[in-house]
């Protein structure tokens, strides 16, 4: 028996090392690469597209925002409105990464990590534009009249039969990623939040989440789109409003927070209090990796949603897609980060001598992940409303519940599309049933190992998509110029 346990531990250790090497550039806890491979690839492709697009995402940011409130009266093809498609994509992007992920980035790389998250989002907007535009250009209509698309389709129709293996690899990565990061990790976070608020067992929360998600996804993409465009704008606006109120209550700290962000981004100076600080490379690594995890730009998930938008204009939907990255990282993640850097309170930190000292800001404390975010809101809005639960803690928990619930919905669709591409449309309904069962199972599992697997699967999903984006970059540049039929068509 001990030998078997040793083998399992070695397997877990190997998975952790692969995950750390891909996303952190480290092996056995030691940094072996100055920048992680996936960070280099994602930023490299993003830079290539941004330059090739002549900074189109930045030049068209205002037009993209205005486009959110316009209707495409001429479009007749597609399943859901362009705004509903954006909301569906955003429901997958806005999740635990916007609450726990930002906290993790600051913990690992200091406040400067937030600056590198912003830089990542700017390049990510070029990736997102390319994905959204190609998704419309190369989507297909099934015999039953429904539309479908995504990386596997712009690989097949844009690059041809000899590249089909790349689409298959993408779908395998997408399927595995959907189960790990899009399902079990989210379900576990949902259960933890419900347990924290009510004391209910994790499995009860799992049943609640599974039933709620099933009620939405059983109706397919139109049902998902309706729910997403109703919930996502509300939850995003409400969360940002509460973050702004928290900042206004601590407005005197805001200038110092921005100064700390920019100083830490380039100097890597140690922070005051108990935080040991991190070098510039660590700030870059943490900010880029967490930023990309949050907004999914380049991963290939969001174009699956954008492909079913009711529009015949690839560039228009590309602009919607890049707005998703902007909203996710530059708005919501920034709001979370600034709250943690500005809100004043008393947060515990244990020094090397074992003595606990209270810190003024939560990011210099012992707290980690979502607990850090929750503690910051608890300090901003300390009035108790549910026993020992404050308004602030309730805000953070409810936000997490909504973010996670909508992520479970959208990623269920992504997993379904990957499954039906590989095995046929007949598995659509069975997959939905399996999806909700996995939500229940994931709600009460030890999830750390799944996080590691999820990081690997995310990379396995992103790499085929990034190869396709580079290969089809000429098409992307032409689509941005208004040529709606740019690029070859392959069967």
């Amino acid at each position: 028996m001990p030998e078997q346990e040793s083998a399992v531990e070695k397997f877990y250790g190997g998975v952790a090392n692969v995950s750390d090497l891909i996303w952190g550039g480290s092996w056995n806890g030691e940094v072996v690469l100055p920048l992680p491979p996936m960070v280099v690839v994602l930023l490299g492709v993003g830079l290539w597209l941004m330059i090739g697009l002549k900074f189109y995402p930045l030049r068209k940011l205002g037009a993209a925002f205005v486009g959110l409130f316009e209707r495409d009266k001429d479009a007749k093809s597609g399943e859901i409105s362009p705004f509903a498609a954006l909301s569906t994509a955003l429901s997958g992007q806005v999740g635990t990464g916007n609450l726990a992920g930002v906290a993790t980035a600051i913990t690992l790389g200091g406040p400067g990590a937030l600056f590198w998250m912003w830089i990542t989002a700017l390049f990510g907007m070029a990736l997102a534009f390319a994905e959204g535009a190609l998704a419309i250009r190369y989507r297909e209509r099934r015999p039953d009249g429904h539309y479908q698309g995504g990386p596997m389709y712009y690989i097949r129709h844009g690059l041809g039969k000899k590249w089909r293996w790349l689409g298959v690899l993408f779908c395998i990565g997408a399927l595995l990623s959907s189960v790990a990061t899009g399902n079990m990790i989210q379900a576990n976070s949902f259960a933890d939040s419900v347990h924290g608020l009510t004391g209910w067992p994790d499995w009860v929360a799992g049943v609640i989440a599974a039933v709620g998600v099933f009620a939405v996804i059983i109706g397919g993409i139109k049902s998902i789109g309706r729910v997403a465009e109703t919930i996502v704008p509300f939850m995003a606006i409400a969360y940002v409003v509460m973050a702004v109120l928290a900042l206004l209550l601590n407005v005197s700290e805001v200038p110092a927070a921005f100064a700390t962000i920019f100083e830490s981004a380039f100097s890597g100076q140690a922070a005051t209090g108990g935080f040991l600080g991190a070098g510039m490379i660590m700030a870059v690594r943490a900010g880029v990796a967490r930023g990309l995890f949050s907004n999914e730009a380049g991963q290939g998930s969001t174009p699956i949603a954008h492909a079913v938008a009711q529009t015949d204009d690839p560039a228009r939907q590309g602009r919607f897609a890049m707005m998703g990255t902007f909203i996710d990282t530059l708005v919501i993640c920034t709001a979370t980060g600034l709250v943690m850097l500005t809100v004043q309170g008393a947060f515990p930190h244990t020094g090397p001598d074992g003595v606990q000292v209270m810190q003024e800001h939560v990011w210099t404390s012992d707290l980690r992940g979502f607990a850090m975010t929750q503690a910051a809101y608890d300090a901003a809005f300390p009035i108790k409303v549910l026993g020992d639960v404050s308004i602030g803690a309730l805000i953070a928990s409810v936000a997490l519940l909504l973010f996670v619930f909508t992520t479970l919905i959208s990623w269920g669709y992504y997993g379904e599309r990957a499954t039906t591409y590989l095995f046929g449309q007949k598995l659509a309904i069975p997959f939905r049933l399996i999806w909700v069962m996995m939500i229940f199972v994931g709600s009460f599992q030890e999830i750390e190992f799944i996080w590691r697997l999820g990081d690997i699967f995310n990379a396995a999903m992103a790499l085929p998509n990034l190869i396709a984006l580079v290969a089809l970059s000429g098409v992307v540049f032409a689509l941005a110029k208004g040529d709606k039929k740019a690029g070859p068509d392959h069967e």
Side-chain angles (χ1 to χ4, degrees), residues 137-221:
R137 171 64 182 90
Y138 287 116
R139 66 183 177 181
E140 70 176 30
R141 189 177 184 182
R142 299 200 306 262
D144 61 7
H146 292 291
Y147 285 81
Q148 58 192 11
M152 53 284 211
Y153 292 96
Y154 53 70
I155 288 172
R156 187 171 77 188
H157 297 310
L159 296 178
K161 293 182 179 180
K162 65 180 180 179
W163 290 89
R164 284 191 177 183
W165 60 272
L166 192 65
V168 170
L169 286 181
F170 169 80
C171 285
I172 293 173
L175 179 57
L176 294 173
S177 181
S178 69
V179 172
T181 61
N183 186 308
M184 297 186 72
I185 289 173
Q186 306 296 331
N188 199 262
S189 296
F190 186 94
D192 286 347
S193 187
V194 170
H195 178 75
L197 286 174
T198 65
W200 295 347
D202 288 347
W203 69 266
V204 173
V207 170
I208 294 172
V211 171
V213 170
F214 179 76
V216 177
I217 68 173
I218 194 61
I221 186 58

Side-chain angles (χ1 to χ4, degrees), residues 116-382:
W116 294 108
M117 289 183 77
W118 298 338
I119 298 301
T120 301
L122 295 179
F123 290 119
M125 287 171 64
L127 292 168
F129 172 83
E131 291 174 317
L134 289 173
I136 294 296
R137 171 64 182 90
Y138 287 116
R139 66 183 177 181
E140 70 176 30
R141 189 177 184 182
R142 299 200 306 262
D144 61 7
H146 292 291
Y147 285 81
Q148 58 192 11
M152 53 284 211
Y153 292 96
Y154 53 70
I155 288 172
R156 187 171 77 188
H157 297 310
L159 296 178
K161 293 182 179 180
K162 65 180 180 179
W163 290 89
R164 284 191 177 183
W165 60 272
L166 192 65
V168 170
L169 286 181
F170 169 80
C171 285
I172 293 173
L175 179 57
L176 294 173
S177 181
S178 69
V179 172
T181 61
N183 186 308
M184 297 186 72
I185 289 173
Q186 306 296 331
N188 199 262
S189 296
F190 186 94
D192 286 347
S193 187
V194 170
H195 178 75
L197 286 174
T198 65
W200 295 347
D202 288 347
W203 69 266
V204 173
V207 170
I208 294 172
V211 171
V213 170
F214 179 76
V216 177
I217 68 173
I218 194 61
I221 186 58
K222 290 186 177 181
S223 174
I224 294 171
R226 284 195 299 270
V227 172
E229 68 178 344
T230 301
I231 294 178
V232 172
F234 164 77
M235 74 178 190
I237 293 172
Y239 178 77
V240 172
V241 167
M242 295 309 299
V244 170
L245 288 176
L247 294 176
L248 290 175
L249 291 173
N250 298 268
V251 68
S252 63
E253 296 292 306
V254 173
F258 276 103
T260 302
I261 290 170
F262 288 110
E263 183 178 5
S264 177
F266 296 99
S267 68
Q269 291 181 346
T272 57
F275 189 73
L276 297 178
M280 177 179 171
I281 294 300
M282 185 59 75
V284 174
R285 179 184 292 118
V288 173
R290 289 298 112 192
L292 292 170
F293 175 80
S294 175
N295 61 48
E296 299 177 19
Q299 188 174 339
S301 53
T302 59
I304 298 175
H306 287 290
V308 296
Q310 293 171 333
T311 182
D312 298 316
D313 187 346
R316 184 172 189 264
Q317 199 61 34
R319 292 192 294 272
F320 271 85
M322 74 186 198
M323 282 300 297
T325 299
F326 179 87
I327 293 168
D328 174 86
T329 304
L330 292 174
V331 177
I332 299 178
C333 286
T334 297
T336 300
L338 288 176
V339 166
M340 286 186 284
L341 294 176
T342 59
V343 170
Q344 295 174 296
F347 308 99
H349 171 75
T350 304
D353 56 0
V355 177
Q356 189 177 85
V357 180
M358 304 309 288
Q359 301 294 312
E360 186 178 21
H361 297 293
V362 70
W363 67 276
T364 61
S365 73
D366 292 333
L367 298 173
R368 296 293 180 263
F370 178 67
M372 183 190 295
T373 309
Q374 190 175 45
Y377 278 100
D378 179 57
F381 307 105

Side-chain angles (χ1 to χ4, degrees), residues 45-84:
V45 176
L47 178 61
W48 167 259
L49 290 171
M50 182 66 85
I51 292 174
L53 287 167
K54 299 178 181 178
F55 296 89
Y56 179 98
L58 302 183
R59 292 187 290 110
K60 295 293 184 179
L61 185 59
F65 180 77
V66 172
L68 295 177
F69 305 96
E70 296 177 344
R71 297 186 64 86
D72 190 350
K73 299 178 180 179
D74 297 327
K76 296 181 175 61
S77 57
E79 301 288 317
I80 56 180
S81 71
F83 183 76

